[in-house]
Each structure stands twice: as structure tokens, then as C-alpha cells.
């Protein structure tokens, strides 16, 4: 059974251990160290909510970050939209983790007056594209190497 909760600074090491193999599988040069997890996911000033998922043994098996970036943000997210990022351990997919995480992010978005959530997914990330489609996100834009999907809370909740 999957348990979700708000991420705390003590989760930075576990989040790092989860994301590093994912980044390596993507051949990404992005940082995944604990300091980065703390600064950009857990305590980021634009953070709405960062949720972690644990399995029945207490192992961290996923996390999802929802932020509300301001005007001119580096993600090119439209003003007023939330931006979401989801990471599930490579050996733990297909167990309802992503759905449990997104349920918490939807609640946080509604509580914070966010009407639209964007996910920017690498065009070669079939797992990510499939996940966001399964959650009800619709493609609204694409560019070389990137697919942008949106979830409109008023239509889907």
C-alpha cells in the first residue's frame, strides 16, 4: 500500500537516491544531489507542495513537485499555471504511485487557486508521456525534444 505525505528536509537524501538513476537513464546532466532536492523541490520559494510516496516498508518510491512559477520563469510556464514534476523509482512503476501523488497535487492546486497545471516532458520519455496522458493531461504544445501538456482542474475535477 502506498502512503503519501508532504516532503520534509529529511527526505532530500531519499529523493536524491530515487532521482539519480532516473537522470542517468535519461543521460541527463541535471543535478540530483540532496542539496539540489532540498533547494529546488522541498524548500523552493515557488513551491506549492512537494509530496513523497512510500511503500509498505517505508521506502521512498516516488515524489511529485507542484510549483507556481512567476512571470518570466525559466520553465516558460504561462503565468498563473502550476508546473508539475513527477519521479517514480525505476523499479516501482505501475503500482498506483503516480496516481496517489497526483491526487495530492490536485488538492494542493485547488486549495491554492491554481486552475491549470502544466507538465513539460521530454519527447523521448515514453513513460512520462504515458503517465501524464493517463492522468488526463492534454498536449497543447510541442517543440524539438519537449512536449507540453496541461491539466485543467475545472474540467477534470
Amino acid at each position: 500500500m502506498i502512503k503519501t505525505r508532504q516532503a520534509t528536509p529529511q527526505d532530500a537524501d531519499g529523493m536524491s537516491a530515487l532521482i539519480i538513476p532516473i537522470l542517468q537513464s535519461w543521460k541527463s546532466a541535471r543535478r540530483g544531489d540532496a542539496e539540489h532536492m532540498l533547494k529546488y523541490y522541498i524548500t523552493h520559494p515557488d513551491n506549492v507542495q512537494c509530496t513523497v510516496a512510500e511503500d509498505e516498508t517505508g521506502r521512498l518510491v516516488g515524489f511529485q513537485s507542484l510549483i507556481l512559477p512567476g512571470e518570466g520563469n525559466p520553465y516558460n510556464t504561462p503565468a498563473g499555471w502550476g508546473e508539475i514534476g513527477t519521479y517514480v523509482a525505476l523499479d516501482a512503476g505501475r503500482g498506483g504511485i503516480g496516481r496517489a501523488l497526483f491526487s495530492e497535487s490536485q488538492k494542493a492546486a485547488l486549495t491554492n487557486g491554481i486552475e491549470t497545471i502544466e507538465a513539460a516532458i521530454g519527447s523521448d520519455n515514453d513513460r512520462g508521456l504515458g503517465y501524464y496522458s493517463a492522468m488526463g493531461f492534454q498536449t497543447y504544445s510541442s517543440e524539438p525534444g519537449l512536449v507540453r501538456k496541461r491539466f485543467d482542474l475545472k474540467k477534470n475535477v
Side-chain angles (χ1 to χ4, degrees), residues 16-95:
S16 175
L18 185 145
I19 200 171
I20 286 174
I22 294 170
L23 296 175
Q24 289 171 341
S25 76
W26 294 346
K27 297 178 179 37
S28 174
R30 286 176 37 198
R31 286 181 57 192
D33 57 273
E35 180 183 335
H36 186 80
M37 295 296 100
L38 183 63
K39 184 175 181 180
Y40 288 96
Y41 291 92
I42 301 170
T43 63
H44 193 279
D46 295 336
N47 191 23
V48 174
Q49 181 163 296
C50 184
T51 306
V52 296
E54 298 174 324
D55 67 12
E56 58 281 346
T57 70
R59 175 181 164 230
L60 198 145
V61 292
F63 69 92
Q64 188 168 76
S65 172
L66 175 65
I67 62 170
L68 183 59
E71 289 280 344
N73 63 77
Y75 316 103
N76 295 318
T77 302
W81 288 20
E83 178 68 30
I84 199 166
T86 308
Y87 304 93
V88 173
L90 293 175
D91 65 347
R94 311 298 293 173

